Amino acid sequence: MKISIERGTLLKAVSQAQSVVERRNTIPILANVLIEAEGDQVQFRATDLDIEVVDKAPAQIERAGATTVAATTLHEIVRKLPDGALVTLTADSAAGRLTVEAGRSNFSLATLPKEDFPVMASSEYQSNFTASAALLRRLFDKSKFAISTEETRYYLNGVYMHVADGPEGGKVLRCVATDGHRLARIDADLPAGAEDMPGVIVPRKTVGELRKLLEDDDMDIAVSVSETKVRFATPDITLTSKVIDGTFPDYTRVIPQNNTRKLEVDAAEFAQAVDRVATVSSERSRAVKLQMENDRLVLSVNAPDSGAAEEELAVAYGDERLEIGFNAKYLQEIANQVDRENAVFLFNSAGDPTLMREGNDQSAVYVVMPMRV
């Protein structure tokens, strides 16, 4: 195999592939990227056995062929090469070496036979549809902060993507994530062809990798879903992932329906104020107390070992006086999801879950559990 490819194109393709590769591997071949050259394009394939990324790039191919080489090493080399350089990759399968040449630089890397590389079995997808990158980015970006990191409740270690009944009637494409302390429920218009999609739990790592495909607003993403796998594809990159094998809990029971005490506040000001008062709180509890009455909100933290802090905000609140405590980090993360100016919080009592949304927008709803302060 011998190919020539522009450094920028190569870097983009290799960096996408190497980010899937796990740093610590017991199986040596999984640390490698499979390079396959044919026709006028080269494809880079990497996997951790749960996720597979295939990245295609145009190249001048003198000799077609395939080989596998350490993904991180290749990525580091290409990253350090000068901009605009023409990179030549030559594989010598007899010697088990891949030569990387650019200008006066020359590297020789050990390879492993391509036959050993595990290729994910292709499967039948029950549902195939196209969604814009902007739609998918909103669904996953606004929900991923609530993904649980507890390995014991593995079915919460991802975003539950499914078709649901929307708040205004009609079907929507919905993403939900929760860790038991907070929950995010984000809706988007249902793309044509997605009506029969089975609900799947997309793993946390896949959500992180998918984000890299969604940078370009005008890009359309081909989405394929089956009971066991999900695939997202652009013309250049295909990301295939197993889904979490488990049942996502019935989240609708957790979303409060009749919280009547309404607080409206500028989301950015609120997040900054929470951040400021939380500076003195002890790391373990990080509790912030909210006191509301007559269009006033007082945020306070009282940490006996390190001090106290208080800040007052002008808000819209006309219900009876309420005191309620929250984990500062949860409040900040939820307030940071608001794109428009105002966050609307709906409370019931100091012990009940609180609902937050952006203005009157029902398509993004957040729930956070209070804590005792």
Side-chain angles (χ1 to χ4, degrees):
M1 180 187 92
K2 186 173 184 184
I3 63 168
S4 300
I5 183 169
E6 197 270 320
R7 179 248 179 203
T9 314
L10 179 60
L11 180 62
K12 188 166 175 275
V14 174
S15 62
Q16 183 79 42
Q18 68 90 34
S19 63
V20 173
V21 172
E22 287 290 340
R23 293 287 169 267
R24 293 188 299 279
N25 260 317
T26 46
I27 309 170
I29 194 87
L30 292 183
N32 283 15
V33 56
L34 172 62
I35 306 170
E36 298 170 293
E38 201 176 318
D40 60 355
Q41 67 173 10
V42 57
Q43 78 178 12
F44 298 86
R45 188 187 293 262
T47 182
D48 65 357
L49 296 182
D50 290 326
I51 306 174
E52 179 185 74
V53 165
V54 182
D55 208 318
K56 301 189 186 82
Q60 295 168 326
I61 295 174
E62 282 183 47
R63 279 198 310 278
T67 187
T68 82
V69 66
T72 28
T73 315
L74 181 62
H75 177 250
E76 283 299 293
I77 289 172
V78 178
R79 191 173 63 80
K80 292 171 183 174
L81 290 175
D83 247 353
L86 186 69
V87 186
T88 306
L89 304 178
T90 315
D92 179 347
S93 49
R97 284 278 180 265
L98 175 77
T99 312
V100 182
E101 292 167 282
R104 297 180 181 182
S105 309
N106 188 312
F107 304 86
S108 176
L109 305 176
T111 62
L112 287 172
K114 65 174 193 296
E115 292 75 23
D116 296 351
F117 195 86
V119 173
M120 205 176 249
S122 60
S123 56
E124 289 292 310
Y125 292 100
Q126 282 144 286
S127 175
N128 297 285
F129 59 93
T130 302
S132 74
L135 177 140
L136 289 174
R137 190 172 63 219
R138 177 178 171 274
L139 282 174
F140 284 101
D141 273 6
K142 284 182 171 294
S143 55
K144 66 183 180 191
F145 75 92
I147 296 175
S148 171
T149 50
E150 270 182 62
E151 295 301 325
T152 47
R153 299 163 79 184
Y154 63 92
Y155 48 85
L156 297 182
N157 295 160
V159 172
Y160 181 41
M161 179 173 78
H162 59 298
V163 178
D165 295 320
E168 273 104 34
K171 296 280 187 192
V172 293
L173 181 61
R174 176 175 287 175
C175 280
V176 179
T178 181
D179 63 359
H181 303 291
R182 61 248 162 103
L183 175 143
R185 188 199 79 192
I186 317 296
D187 293 347
D189 295 337
L190 188 66
E195 298 80 13
D196 305 329
M197 181 186 95
V200 289
I201 306 172
V202 184
R204 186 194 311 105
K205 183 175 175 183
T206 308
V207 173
E209 291 302 324
L210 172 63
R211 185 65 183 79
K212 297 168 190 162
L213 273 67
L214 307 178
E215 294 299 340
D216 182 358
D217 272 2
D218 305 326
M219 182 77 79
D220 276 341
I221 312 287
V223 185
S224 306
V225 184
S226 75
E227 298 279 353
T228 55
K229 281 196 194 125
V230 60
R231 185 177 72 198
F232 301 93
T234 70
D236 300 329
I237 304 170
T238 305
L239 170 71
T240 311
S241 167
K242 292 180 182 169
V243 299
I244 293 174
D245 181 15
T247 307
F248 200 81
D250 178 11
Y251 59 88
T252 50
R253 296 209 319 267
V254 189
I255 299 174
Q257 299 302 329
N258 29 20
N259 282 11
T260 50
R261 298 178 180 185
K262 181 177 172 185
L263 163 77
E264 194 162 333
V265 57
D266 181 300
E269 273 184 21
F270 178 73
Q272 288 161 3
V274 170
D275 192 24
R276 282 191 289 269
V277 295
T279 315
V280 299
S281 71
S282 60
E283 270 308 303
R284 210 176 54 253
S285 68
R286 284 191 68 80
V288 172
K289 184 157 83 176
L290 280 63
Q291 290 164 289
M292 289 157 274
E293 64 179 329
N294 306 336
D295 291 345
R296 280 176 61 229
L297 165 65
V298 178
L299 298 165
S300 60
V301 167
N302 194 357
D305 45 351
S306 56
E310 188 172 292
E311 181 162 342
E312 189 175 314
L313 291 176
V315 296
Y317 181 78
D319 293 295
E320 62 209 62
R321 177 182 161 84
L322 176 67
E323 284 193 12
I324 188 168
F326 292 102
N327 179 314
K329 178 167 157 273
Y330 297 167
L331 275 188
Q332 276 169 278
E333 284 183 338
I334 282 184
N336 287 337
Q337 303 305 319
V338 178
D339 302 325
R340 304 197 185 96
E341 309 222 327
N342 284 352
V344 173
F345 287 89
L346 294 166
F347 303 96
N348 186 22
S349 75
D352 292 319
T354 293
L355 190 84
M356 191 212 79
R357 57 171 198 251
E358 305 176 37
N360 290 322
D361 184 7
Q362 299 283 344
S363 72
V365 170
Y366 306 93
V367 179
V368 60
M369 296 297 289
M371 60 191 287
R372 286 203 200 89
V373 282

